[in-house]
């Protein structure tokens, strides 16, 4: 239940949409700068997208979780589900810094309001803000590619967003589609209980051996950043770093579980078919095909470029200086989200000061 009274329009300096890593970082830095704000989160409880991760994704398997600013995550059991560990950490963080997140609030639109302000609309109330930090991530927009015959397949189709863990695939023939970290994790789990697994990707996977230091990290972020500067839809940082060649992945390559096949041509009622006439029968197709930014609520502001993305200067939308996107493109990693939250708060402070707004 909401813990606040619904009013017609509530005034605030800054609205933060989303209470995952990027949103909490932004709220923390706004609070430190003395800027009045509200945090709106559509999830039922703390934890951001982490609360929806599958139970078998334990904290020890998490790919590079970075602590939120001002409070370390220590003593976590690597064998506990990441959804529990990170959910509890986010809840403690909100409580420790007094970040009164309003939830569940499902923001439906952000549009121009009166007197140069932004109107943030939801079914739980409306807010009038001078600036906005959008931190809605990607989890709510799973990407389902379309292939001929998809509607004919009589088995089960599901996406990583709905992955229940490996045991539901016991004894099944499973095709996993996708070349990212999630696809590899799914395959290594499912292969232990499934009758048969097949890995399908559009491009040959690239495995990264050796250490991945700051220099490599900066180079990867720069590639994603350049797309955002051009107004193109962002690629994830992970997509340009390659897949880490750890012990589990080496084992999967040696056993043949990670023997990749090229993308199929079409689906049939009972499986997949390739241009050379080969076929694979399947009971389940698991689409580990990634996510897209959840930014449809920003459509009234017309921020998109002809290339389909939102062009940013740092975290600021080039088309509207009131809007900052964090956890988008180059700041989609956990450490990038932390830095972006601080950068957005600093830019907003300058904007409010320059436009004569009283910072509260």
């Amino acid at each position: 239940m909401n813990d606040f009274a619904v009013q017609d329009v509530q005034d605030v300096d800054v609205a933060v949409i989303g209470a995952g890593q990027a949103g909490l970082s932004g709220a923390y830095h706004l609070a430190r700068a003395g800027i009045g704000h509200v945090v709106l989160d559509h999830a039922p409880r703390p934890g951001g997208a982490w609360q929806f991760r599958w139970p078998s994704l334990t904290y020890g398997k998490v790919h590079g979780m970075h602590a939120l600013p001002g409070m370390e995550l220590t003593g976590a059991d690597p064998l506990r589900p990441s959804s529990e560990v990170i959910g509890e950490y986010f809840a403690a963080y909100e409580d420790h810094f007094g970040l009164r997140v309003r939830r569940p609030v499902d923001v439906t639109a952000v549009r121009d309001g009166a007197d140069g302000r932004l109107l943030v609309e939801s079914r739980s109330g409306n807010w009038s803000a001078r600036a906005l930090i959008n931190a809605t991530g990607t989890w709510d927009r799973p990407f389902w590619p379309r292939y001929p015959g998809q509607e004919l397949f009589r088995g089960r189709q599901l996406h990583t967003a709905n992955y229940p863990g490996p045991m539901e695939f016991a004894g099944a023939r499973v095709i996993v589609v996708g070349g990212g970290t999630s696809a590899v994790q799914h395959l290594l789990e499912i292969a232990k209980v499934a009758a048969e697994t097949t890995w399908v990707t559009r491009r040959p996977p690239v495995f990264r051996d050796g250490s991945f230091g700051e220099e490599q990290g900066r180079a990867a972020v720069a590639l994603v950043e350049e797309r955002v500067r051009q107004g193109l839809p962002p690629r994830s940082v992970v997509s340009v770093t390659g897949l880490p060649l750890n012990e589990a992945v080496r084992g999967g390559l040696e056993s043949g579980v990670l023997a990749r096949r090229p993308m199929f041509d079409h689906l049939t009622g009972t499986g997949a078919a390739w241009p050379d006439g080969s076929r694979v029968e399947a009971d389940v197709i698991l689409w580990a095909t990634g996510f897209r930014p959840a930014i449809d609520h920003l459509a009234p502001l017309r921020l998109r470029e002809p290339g389909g993305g939102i062009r940013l200067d740092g975290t600021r939308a080039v088309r509207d200086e009131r809007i900052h996107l964090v956890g988008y493109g180059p700041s989609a990693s956990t450490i990038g989200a932390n830095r972006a939250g601080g950068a957005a708060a600093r830019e907003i402070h300058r904007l409010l000061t320059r436009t004569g707004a009283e910072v509260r």
Side-chain angles (χ1 to χ4, degrees):
M1 295 294 291
N2 296 328
D3 62 352
F4 59 99
V6 176
Q7 300 176 14
D8 288 339
V9 179
Q10 303 173 56
D11 286 347
V12 66
D13 285 330
V14 183
V16 180
I17 306 177
Q21 183 102 13
L24 291 181
S25 173
Y28 167 86
H29 287 290
L30 289 172
R32 290 195 69 189
I35 300 174
H37 61 279
V38 64
V39 184
L40 310 174
D41 188 35
H42 85 118
R45 55 191 177 274
W50 289 102
Q51 65 193 273
F52 305 113
R53 296 297 202 271
W54 51 98
S56 56
L57 182 63
T58 57
Y59 183 65
K61 296 178 183 177
V62 167
H63 182 70
M65 171 64 193
H66 196 272
L68 285 159
M71 181 176 169
E72 293 294 322
L73 171 52
T74 59
D77 182 351
L79 299 180
R80 288 187 68 202
S82 60
S83 58
E84 296 179 5
V85 172
I86 298 174
E88 291 171 5
Y89 170 55
F90 280 19
Y93 188 87
E94 292 177 15
D95 182 64
H96 181 76
F97 290 107
L99 304 178
R100 188 168 175 270
V101 180
R102 304 190 178 205
R103 58 168 61 92
V105 176
D106 187 9
V107 173
T108 54
V110 180
R111 64 182 78 251
D112 283 316
D115 301 322
R117 297 172 72 98
L118 296 161
L119 180 62
V120 180
E121 300 177 348
S122 84
R123 297 181 182 87
S124 306
N126 302 319
W127 286 264
S128 173
R130 298 181 185 276
L132 176 83
I133 293 181
N134 190 82
T136 45
T138 62
W139 187 258
D140 297 314
R141 281 204 63 200
F143 175 63
W144 290 75
R146 301 301 304 169
Y147 282 89
Q150 212 161 346
E151 71 285 355
L152 302 176
F153 180 66
R154 294 192 294 273
R156 182 184 181 190
Q157 297 188 57
L158 71 161
H159 191 276
T160 291
N162 308 112
Y163 177 65
M167 293 314 298
E168 285 202 25
F169 304 93
R173 299 165 298 176
V174 184
I175 296 175
V176 177
V177 183
T181 304
S182 293
V184 170
Q185 290 177 344
H186 296 337
L187 276 159
L188 293 176
E189 289 187 343
I190 293 170
K192 296 175 183 178
V193 298
E196 179 182 297
T197 61
T198 303
W199 187 23
V200 178
T201 72
R202 285 193 301 125
R203 292 182 294 271
V206 176
F207 294 96
R208 184 188 77 240
D209 201 357
S211 61
F212 190 76
E214 282 191 26
E215 184 178 343
Q216 294 92 336
R218 284 194 296 268
V221 169
L223 290 173
V224 180
E225 206 164 37
E226 181 57 29
R227 286 183 61 86
V228 172
R229 275 198 296 266
Q230 294 175 15
L232 299 172
R235 294 176 65 190
S236 68
V237 174
V238 172
S239 73
V240 297
T241 62
L243 296 162
L245 195 56
N246 55 31
E247 184 178 345
V249 171
R250 290 181 192 277
L253 290 168
E254 291 170 2
S255 68
V257 169
L258 296 181
R260 169 259 182 190
R261 293 193 63 161
M263 199 64 211
F264 46 72
D265 178 70
H266 63 276
L267 294 177
T268 68
T270 58
W274 279 259
D276 62 3
S278 62
R279 291 172 177 258
V280 168
E281 300 295 289
D283 305 299
V284 181
I285 297 174
L286 175 55
W287 299 92
T289 45
F291 300 79
R292 298 293 183 264
I295 52 176
D296 289 352
H297 56 286
L298 301 179
L301 297 174
R302 302 180 182 274
L303 301 175
R304 289 188 188 270
E305 301 293 331
I310 297 177
R311 189 155 59 100
L312 300 183
D313 180 0
T315 62
R316 175 176 53 81
V318 170
R319 289 178 178 261
D320 193 327
E321 65 178 345
R322 300 169 297 177
I323 310 298
H324 288 259
L325 274 69
V326 296
Y328 177 88
S331 65
S333 66
T334 57
I335 188 169
N338 283 357
R339 292 170 177 167
R346 288 190 294 273
E347 283 268 342
I348 287 172
H349 187 277
R350 284 193 285 268
L351 171 67
L352 298 183
T353 301
R354 177 169 54 81
T355 56
E358 181 184 349
V359 177
R360 304 181 264 122

